[in-house]
Amino acid sequence: MTAFVEGPLLQSPLRWGMVGGGKGSQIGHSHRDAAQRDGLMQLVAGAFDIDAERGRSFGVSLGLDAGRCYPSYAAMFEAEAARSDGIQVVSIATPNSSHFAVCKAALQAGLHVVCEKPLTIRLEDAQELQALATARGVVLGVMYGYTGYEMVQQARAMVQGGELGAVRVVHMQFAHGYHSAEVESADPGTKWRVTPAISGPSYVIGDLATHCYQMGALVSGLQLESLSCVRRSFVASRAPLEDDAHVMLRYQGNAVGMLWASAINIGSAHGFKLRVVCEKGSIEWWDEQPNQLKVAFAGKPEMTYERGHGYLDPSARFERVGGGHPAGYFDAWANLYRRFALAMSPEPQARALLDGQWFPSAQDGVEGVRFMLRCVESADAGSQWVGFQ
Ligand SMILES: NC(=O)c1ccc[n+]([C@@H]2O[C@H](COP(=O)([O-])OP(=O)(O)OC[C@H]3O[C@@H](n4cnc5c(N)ncnc54)[C@H](O)[C@@H]3O)[C@@H](O)[C@H]2O)c1
């Protein structure tokens, strides 16, 4: 990763639209903040809401031209394609079951896409989107936002650089406690997550475990071979979807793993942690203290690596702000949107500025959907071990 450079990297920001992420949505603001942070994308159009009038007035409140606040994604793609200054990129931040149709229409319109996870709720749909993006020559990114943290890059560099030795155990959890009771009766954002027709075949596996799986794969560099999952709905009305899941994992070689995804972990705010234990040492990262990485080598006291220091791998030294100041969630997202924009821009210098930097791609999206479905398959067959591929 090259160090942070302030100022415009592009002659013209990408003209950017959104589907979903309307007023009061959980994740819409994160996209708007991150995409526009470095001036590489500019929001010019949107179909923000399932309720057309609410979406229009919200778009206007964001400063958009009322004529570019559309009642539906289909209307937006059609009208924008007819404009000489139409959108070039769209972000999709709607509930899970709509991702496939919206994303397919966007790719068919020749747009670059940033889609929320899980990319789709069926594997063949995710694979179709990946193939379509390749065929149209556009970028399809998936918003695994946590992987934009600098200390996650550091973890990846240390594990894959070999200084810790071969990976033995990948331990992951994303276990919060916000939904330990039936809150969904008064919360539409939780209600769709426990409704199979909208959420897909899982709740916490698709919502939370896919983040863990993707980060575990990114940091360890290991291919998953097989898994065994148990899932439960401790709030009975959520069945057949689960609010708690445990997964045992076998990776290529000799490595193994464990993953806990939960919405009923009372006392935990967010609880997203990754620990990778290797032959000579281990690393541990926690998203509630994202500027630190715990590092230990056998026989030595544990160390805390801090963001912004010269001893870190160059890939972890982006430094929007110097060490000691806490960089956070929005910065991590902006780091990824910066890379999406550089990968998507038609300007000739953009690719060089990207300089081989990694971002979560359609392939990550496909693998996340595969992981979700394999977990469900295993759990529903009495936790049988199932092959990952
Ligand atoms: N990457 C992350 O860290 C992260 C975090 C939270 C949510 N998500 C994902 O983001 C997506 C949205 O989640 P959320 O929690 O923001 O949901 P939400 O229910 O809070 O908001 C969904 C928004 O989409 C709008 N919408 C629904 N259908 C639409 C349609 N057909 N056209 C236009 N707008 C439509 C709704 O009106 C609402 O504004 C989900 O796929 C979820 O998994 C990702």
Side-chain angles (χ1 to χ4, degrees):
M1 190 191 288
T2 45
F4 179 65
V5 178
E6 193 165 6
L9 300 175
L10 300 178
Q11 303 284 321
S12 322
L14 290 159
R15 298 181 298 275
W16 176 56
M18 281 193 80
V19 180
K23 186 169 186 167
S25 65
Q26 189 184 121
I27 212 63
H29 173 69
S30 299
H31 284 271
R32 285 183 286 277
D33 178 278
Q36 300 184 103
R37 177 79 70 85
D38 294 335
L40 306 183
M41 292 193 190
Q42 186 183 356
L43 186 65
V44 294
F48 296 102
D49 205 295
I50 192 75
D51 177 315
E53 178 45 35
R54 207 168 50 193
R56 194 197 64 79
S57 60
F58 179 60
V60 170
S61 78
L62 293 175
L64 297 192
D65 176 346
R68 295 179 85 176
C69 300
Y70 296 96
S72 69
Y73 69 87
M76 175 162 83
F77 296 157
E78 191 182 342
E80 290 291 315
R83 297 177 66 113
S84 59
D85 63 349
I87 56 171
Q88 299 162 290
V89 186
V90 67
S91 292
I92 300 167
T94 57
N96 305 348
S97 61
S98 54
H99 293 174
F100 175 63
V102 183
C103 198
K104 186 172 176 178
L107 295 171
Q108 284 172 332
L111 297 171
H112 298 287
V113 176
V114 176
C115 188
E116 267 303 347
K117 43 50 61 179
L119 178 56
T120 60
I121 56 177
R122 299 190 328 153
L123 183 57
E124 52 272 40
D125 292 348
Q127 289 166 327
E128 184 180 332
L129 295 178
Q130 182 183 27
L132 188 53
T134 305
R136 298 304 297 250
V138 293
V139 175
L140 169 55
V142 179
M143 203 57 219
Y144 286 112
Y146 303 98
T147 51
Y149 285 107
E150 288 162 271
M151 297 312 275
V152 172
Q153 290 289 141
Q154 176 66 19
R156 182 186 191 220
M158 292 185 79
V159 172
Q160 294 193 29
E163 66 182 290
L164 300 165
V167 176
R168 289 178 167 171
V169 177
V170 183
H171 200 276
M172 297 156 275
Q173 71 164 64
F174 193 159
H176 68 71
Y178 292 108
H179 302 159
S180 61
E182 196 182 4
V183 295
E184 52 268 33
S185 44
D187 177 7
T190 307
K191 183 70 184 165
W192 72 252
R193 283 174 159 79
V194 296
T195 304
I198 306 175
S199 191
S202 84
Y203 165 28
V204 295
I205 298 169
D207 204 41
L208 310 174
T210 48
H211 280 295
C212 299
Y213 163 72
Q214 190 265 346
M215 190 182 287
L218 177 76
V219 170
S220 73
L222 294 181
Q223 179 67 46
L224 188 56
E225 282 191 340
S226 57
L227 60 80
S228 165
C229 175
V230 56
R231 62 174 184 159
R232 287 276 180 281
S233 336
F234 285 105
V235 175
S237 57
R238 292 174 184 162
L241 303 193
E242 76 293 337
D243 49 27
D244 188 271
H246 297 257
V247 193
M248 284 198 293
L249 308 153
R250 287 189 189 126
Y251 290 94
Q252 67 184 101
N254 203 30
V256 293
M258 178 76 87
L259 192 162
W260 178 30
S262 184
I264 55 95
N265 183 18
I266 293 172
S268 168
H270 212 224
F272 183 7
K273 290 182 181 167
L274 172 74
R275 181 172 175 81
V276 182
V277 181
C278 306
E279 231 173 346
K280 297 187 233 168
S282 63
I283 56 97
E284 186 168 313
W285 180 83
W286 179 24
D287 82 324
E288 293 174 34
Q289 292 179 3
N291 295 289
Q292 286 79 34
L293 181 71
K294 302 277 186 198
V295 179
F297 288 94
K300 298 197 172 148
E302 187 181 61
M303 296 176 280
T304 303
Y305 283 28
E306 292 274 347
R307 195 188 65 77
H309 285 276
Y311 53 74
L312 300 178
D313 186 82
S315 67
R317 300 208 54 202
F318 190 53
E319 293 172 35
R320 286 177 181 281
V321 61
H325 299 292
Y329 165 87
F330 289 114
D331 303 291
W333 273 58
N335 292 346
L336 294 185
Y337 257 106
R338 185 180 178 102
R339 296 178 216 165
F340 289 142
L342 293 176
M344 292 169 176
S345 170
E347 295 181 21
Q349 80 286 5
R351 280 293 177 148
L353 291 167
L354 187 61
D355 192 24
Q357 291 172 67
W358 172 91
F359 60 81
S361 65
Q363 182 65 34
D364 292 284
V366 168
E367 297 308 313
V369 175
R370 192 194 308 276
F371 179 77
M372 171 178 76
L373 296 174
R374 294 291 181 259
C375 287
V376 168
E377 183 187 333
S378 166
D380 294 356
S383 305
Q384 264 181 22
W385 282 91
V386 298
F388 183 63
Q389 283 308 318

